[in-house]
Amino acid sequence: MIIKANNPTLKSWIDVDVNSDFPIQNLPFGVYSDTHTKHHACSAIGSYAIDLYELANHGFLSNLNIPTEVFNNAYLNDFIELGKETTRALRDRLSDLLDSNNKELQDNKAVFNKIFKPQSGINLLLPVKVGDYTDFYSSIDHATNIGTMIRDPKNALMPNWKYIPVGYHGRASSITVSGTPLHRPKGQMKPADAEVPTFGPCKLLDFELETAYIIGKSTKLGESVSTEKADDYIFGMVLFNDWSARDIQTWEYVPLGPFLSKNFASTISPWIVTLDALEPYRTRGYEQEPKVFPYLEYTGDKNVDIKLEVAIQPENSTETVICNSNYKYMYWTMEQQLAHHTVNGCNVNVGDMMGSGTISGPQPHEYGSMMELSWKGTKPLTLNDGSERKFINDNDTVIMRGYCQNDKVRIGFGECKAKVLPAN
Ligand code: MN
């Protein structure tokens, strides 16, 4: 299928820096507020957000049959619920209006300031109301590293790992948008050499470099989604920091898996980059051996080449990039995750969020968590200001970025950023 708005030759009449995440080929969706606006849906071009409510109010979207009120919501759920045909038509229309050959909006100077808002002057809000959040564990390099560290290097992967896209149900209430600080969690932990557990602020606070996809079409209870149809159910992707308290996790996780070590905060980037916009960057994934069950088989290139980085910025200091990874290293694809999630009839709803699991690559600088980068705290990292990190300190800001680039176009996700405050 040809997606019109992805045409790499398109140029906008709005100036877009070559390193911008938001050229005319991206057109992601978000929600913003500012001193005049409580919450309007928006898209992005260059350094501007595009107010979709104002755009509709001024008649620029009149042929699309979209109720204007869906752009005047705190969340994008009702807009996404309209279906991919409609959201795709809107992205195509935005692409037309921003195209340098199109004069409709370009020549309408009177409305420019109403519709285009410098991103530096607005607040980007949590874009969706997440109903249910599931986190997978789909990076083979990550699962191998963790298994090597905490179990046995010879049997690093659990016997189920290459058969099942392993996952667990997370908590939606503590998902926040980039820019929202979090407090270091408190909890129980038991150091390996201690007889009894202790209680207090977590000492081994970690990030997890992840992406997440947002469900764009609901299923009925009892219904399953095939890998072939899965893309119809995926609206788009965000960057995702799935904060983890490693010491709390080690003590609590047996036998039911992570609980308070994971549910205190999860940070997502504010722009949902549509699956449509990511199509040009699809790539082949790892060879899957042993052969997967038929319901997990798929054809074509289903991985995505998304370059990912993580930086730590200590208070009053500059940032240091500590990791460069790539989404293409995922062993299980989004389509396989969704097919697996629904194979038992479990229903999914618009706005549900599915985390990838920590995304590590094969090289040490591609590891997607401090646990791996510092190898369980045995190899501290040195930051640009000379300070060392085994895990994340109070007042550190962790910043994740991601973008796709081929020989024609670069599109990106913006930032997923949050500061760690001392424990309450
Ligand atoms: Mn995770």
Side-chain angles (χ1 to χ4, degrees):
M1 185 190 52
I2 302 288
I3 300 167
K4 224 177 83 187
N6 290 352
N7 180 349
T9 66
L10 293 176
K11 290 258 181 300
S12 179
W13 50 271
I14 300 266
D15 256 349
V16 179
D17 188 88
V18 285
N19 290 318
S20 170
D21 283 344
F22 309 111
I24 190 169
Q25 289 84 1
N26 191 348
L27 304 176
F29 293 104
V31 180
Y32 86 96
S33 72
D34 65 10
T35 44
H36 310 288
T37 305
K38 193 173 168 208
H39 41 56
H40 283 174
C42 56
S43 184
I45 179 93
S47 59
Y48 290 104
I50 307 165
D51 186 319
L52 298 176
Y53 181 74
E54 291 296 338
L55 198 65
N57 256 345
H58 286 87
F60 289 102
L61 307 178
S62 52
N63 293 331
L64 294 180
N65 210 7
I66 299 177
T68 306
E69 279 308 306
V70 300
F71 299 127
N72 189 20
N73 280 343
Y75 300 108
L76 293 173
N77 297 53
D78 290 350
F79 166 65
I80 296 171
E81 186 106 45
L82 296 173
K84 239 185 210 196
E85 238 174 83
T86 304
T87 57
R88 183 176 287 149
L90 172 61
R91 191 166 160 267
D92 283 346
R93 175 63 178 152
L94 290 173
S95 173
D96 283 343
L97 285 169
L98 294 164
D99 187 332
S100 54
N101 299 313
N102 186 312
K103 302 290 177 196
E104 289 175 69
L105 187 52
Q106 191 173 171
D107 286 352
N108 198 333
K109 300 274 186 284
V111 299
F112 187 89
N113 290 332
K114 282 216 164 306
I115 292 167
F116 293 91
K117 311 279 172 174
Q119 286 177 31
S120 54
I122 61 171
N123 304 307
L124 288 164
L125 309 178
L126 190 68
V128 283
K129 173 98 184 136
V130 179
D132 279 306
Y133 151 47
T134 299
D135 197 22
F136 286 91
Y137 189 58
S138 290
S139 156
I140 192 168
D141 296 297
H142 172 69
T144 304
N145 285 338
I146 297 296
T148 301
M149 256 182 273
I150 68 175
R151 279 190 311 273
D152 171 11
K154 287 195 197 69
N155 297 293
L157 291 180
M158 295 297 270
N160 63 2
W161 201 88
K162 286 186 168 180
Y163 290 92
I164 295 176
V166 170
Y168 73 98
H169 285 124
R171 184 150 187 96
S173 65
S174 51
I175 296 170
T176 58
V177 72
S178 178
T180 311
L182 61 138
H183 286 277
R184 176 177 299 272
K186 290 181 292 195
Q188 291 190 30
M189 53 219 116
K190 192 174 94 57
D193 52 1
E195 291 262 310
V196 291
T198 56
F199 175 85
C202 128
K203 293 191 176 68
L204 310 182
L205 181 62
D206 203 351
F207 62 82
E208 287 185 340
L209 169 60
E210 302 195 22
T211 60
Y213 62 88
I214 307 294
I215 293 295
K217 182 177 174 180
S218 302
T219 64
K220 292 197 184 71
L221 187 62
E223 192 185 332
S224 301
V225 178
S226 66
T227 55
E228 201 184 331
K229 289 271 188 295
D231 287 351
D232 297 344
Y233 292 79
I234 300 172
F235 178 69
M237 293 177 76
V238 293
L239 302 176
F240 177 41
N241 182 349
D242 190 25
W243 296 95
S244 297
R246 300 298 179 196
D247 38 6
I248 298 173
Q249 186 176 356
T250 309
W251 172 234
E252 77 174 359
Y253 88 108
V254 181
L256 289 186
F259 185 30
L260 303 187
S261 57
K262 299 278 189 174
N263 68 5
F264 59 94
S266 312
T267 310
I268 66 170
S269 55
W271 295 109
I272 306 178
V273 176
T274 62
L275 202 63
D276 280 357
L278 294 166
E279 277 309 316
Y281 307 95
R282 292 279 194 173
T283 186
R284 184 165 298 265
Y286 278 110
E287 213 57 49
Q288 296 186 326
E289 179 58 44
K291 200 163 144 39
V292 299
F293 281 100
Y295 78 94
L296 292 170
E297 285 174 2
Y298 67 94
T299 52
D301 291 349
K302 288 294 177 197
N303 231 308
V304 192
D305 182 355
I306 306 173
K307 298 165 204 347
L308 300 166
E309 70 171 41
V310 184
I312 295 177
Q313 183 175 14
E315 191 153 56
N316 303 318
S317 183
T318 55
E319 65 170 63
T320 305
V321 174
I322 52 160
C323 156
N324 290 94
S325 187
N326 196 308
Y327 184 76
K328 73 181 178 191
Y329 294 132
M330 295 291 284
Y331 187 85
W332 296 104
T333 68
M334 290 183 274
E335 292 77 8
Q336 291 180 308
Q337 291 171 343
L338 188 56
H340 183 67
H341 204 311
T342 58
V343 74
N344 65 347
C346 173
N347 51 331
V348 295
N349 290 304
V350 167
D352 285 359
M353 195 180 99
M354 310 289 181
S356 58
T358 306
I359 304 163
S360 296
Q363 303 296 325
H365 72 274
E366 296 172 317
Y367 295 170
S369 64
M370 290 303 285
M371 180 79 169
E372 295 161 273
L373 288 163
S374 76
W375 208 255
K376 234 175 140 183
T378 61
K379 297 178 187 167
L381 306 183
T382 305
L383 305 186
N384 292 338
D385 65 2
S387 63
E388 289 192 339
R389 290 293 181 285
K390 295 173 181 170
F391 289 88
I392 302 301
N393 286 0
D394 285 348
N395 302 309
D396 282 353
T397 298
V398 175
I399 308 160
M400 296 179 176
R401 301 187 183 90
Y403 67 96
C404 306
Q405 182 150 32
N406 56 26
D407 51 356
K408 300 184 183 87
V409 178
R410 170 207 157 107
I411 67 168
F413 286 80
E415 285 183 340
C416 175
K417 175 175 175 172
K419 181 175 178 175
V420 175
L421 303 175
N424 261 328

